[in-house]
Amino acid sequence: MAQVVRLAAVDKTYAVRTRAGRVRRRRREVRAVSDVSFTIESGEMVGYVGPNGAGKSTTIKMITGILTPSAGRIEVLGLTPTVDRRRLTRRIGVVFGQRSQLWWDLPLIDSFELLHHVYRTERARHDANLAAFTERLDLGGFLDVPVRQLSLGQRMRGELTAALLHDPALVVLDEPTIGLDVVSKYAVREFLSETNRERGTTVLLTTHDLDDVEHLCRRMLIIDRGRVLLDGAVDRFKAEHGNDRTLVVDLESAAEPLPLRTGQVLRTDGPRQWIRFDRRRTSAAAVIAEVTAAGAVRDLAIEEPDIEELIRRIYASRTEGSPGDGVGL
Amino acid sequence: MSRLWWEIARRSFRRASSYRLATASGVFVNTVFGYLRASILIFVATAAGGSIRGQSATDLATFAFVSQGFIMTIGAFGDHELAERIRTGDVVIDLYRPADLQLWWAATWFGRSGFLALARGIPPVVLGALAFDLEWPDPLWHWLPFLASVVLATTVGFALRFCSNLLTFWLLDNRGVEQLLTVLISFFSGLVLPITLFPSWLERIARALPFASMIQLPTELYLGRYDGMEIVSVLAQQAGWAVALLLVGRAVLRAATARVVIQGG
Ligand SMILES: Nc1ncnc2c1ncn2[C@@H]1O[C@H](COP(=O)(O)OP(=O)(O)OP(=O)(O)O)[C@@H](O)[C@H]1O
Ligand SMILES: [Mg+2]
């Protein structure tokens, strides 16, 4: 299979000027990405995750040719992004969750029509794509509405369409689900996975929502402080690092930490207790049964570890020198 | 590709036309200012004994209303849409499109100008003609160089504002620059006072600047101050400024893009 994206030892440092005294400015270098290498094959769907400021957007900007790497090499669809940006723009689609490429004052359909002229797509293909996307993303009801009047979820569906109308080989999305409700998130995910499946579009997306990655991607890259901590299959990662669950219970009244066999109370706050258990050893039902036997329960919920938590653990396991060391799962 | 610019311009025209209330109140304001400027200029001419520097009261009233008519078309007061996109960072999205950014904004600008020429251009002049004795291009073919001149003035207006908008890449807030530019345009273009009424040394300076191409020169063409080859030379001067400033805009755009691409905006 062809390589769509290839990063080799990529660094990016930003020069930041900070005040030092009344007039003097000090030039400081912020290393946003360091020594990042990975490749993405045609047809893959990769989740790129990491905490705030990890370097995700910086990587995406370099891949799409909007930012020059300070060191290292990047190749996308056989092109060097910053050198061949114009040529590359025809073959990639980009979505920034926080930004819009739609025309604010114009009806949604006008933005699509303009994109037809921007990319000089064939009329028939444009119409066919638009019809397909309209149906899948349920755009029919607001194609004629000015973009500024759309809800965030509606707008994001418009953004996805705009990014994919010209049949890009690669689509890069920076937090496409940010701020969306469950229904809209679901629509976005469905759409992306269908597009990937049916058109063979390669997808790279960043997100803070591990659910996105779980539902969409077979592979994920975890980046933190500019370095890739892990690059591997999502399933395997979860099997190795994401097996514990936290049961949050609200008891009728404040109590001492419940003495439990199936799990362990992490902390308490008045009537609320956080109980950790390993889902490989006990079922949630068993823990709940033991808790309800131990005291009157008013409410309960089960939490999965989030990305930040998992990254903390990867760090911990690495510093302990455990088998997690090898990183490449 | 040219189809794209047409499609953009068309939509920009339509978008401008959707602000009905703004258009109506704009026509009102333009007309009031036309009355004001015409009255003052007529007063000046009368005080000077009927005409000043070879310009009659009718010439000056016409100057006021005609310039008042196309002042919006040429975008004398600017536009900050691009600056806004730069400030919010949305401009990055524009760089992802396989389309030239300067031509893109030019198409937007001309689309809007087209609407403003119709909606904000004709009414003030017609309303002015109701109350004042105005002149019309004579001979009739003088309309042609006048209209060509307004198109060139619009291009100069665009080229200037494109540059000042792009400065947002370095300044974060370019409103100061915009205001300064508006002041320079208002004063040196002949908007506040026809530059023919300036002291002659100042008039020479004004004629050497690009701003005269925006209002003074088109209006003088309308009034028939030039004939034959003079007309060609006036249009050439405007075209020269337009091209020069567009090239400056191109260089600034290249520098801005390089800055974004290297520093991350
Ligand atoms: N234009 C810039 N100038 C200076 N520093 C920057 C610039 N852009 C990003 N940085 C810094 O680079 C680092 C990585 O930022 P980046 O935006 O890539 O993170 P991210 O992973 O996308 O984070 P988030 O999840 O918050 O979007 C951060 O420390 C950030 O402050
Ligand atoms: Mg980011």
Side-chain angles (χ1 to χ4, degrees), chain B residues 48-124:
Chain B
S51 91
I52 181 166
R53 305 226 174 125
Q55 293 157 100
S56 67
T58 315
D59 286 342
L60 290 171
T62 307
F63 189 102
F65 276 103
V66 169
S67 58
Q68 206 59 37
F70 65 76
I71 185 175
M72 296 311 295
T73 304
I74 63 168
F77 305 113
D79 171 66
H80 43 81
E81 199 181 343
L82 172 58
E84 200 57 27
R85 283 187 78 76
I86 296 169
R87 211 178 49 70
T88 58
D90 283 346
V91 73
V92 167
I93 300 270
D94 301 338
L95 295 175
Y96 281 123
R97 293 198 198 103
D100 185 86
L101 209 60
Q102 192 182 32
L103 285 171
W104 186 287
W105 287 100
T108 310
W109 181 276
F110 274 96
R112 184 185 45 228
S113 286
F115 172 75
L116 294 172
L118 298 178
R120 305 273 300 264
I122 296 166

Side-chain angles (χ1 to χ4, degrees), chain A residues 119-144:
Chain A
Y119 290 99
R120 284 184 273 173
T121 42
E122 277 167 42
R123 184 87 246 175
R125 205 178 62 165
H126 173 85
D127 290 347
N129 279 350
L130 184 55
F133 297 162
T134 301
E135 205 212 304
R136 286 213 185 136
L137 288 166
D138 208 8
L139 306 174
F142 49 89
L143 278 176
D144 295 318

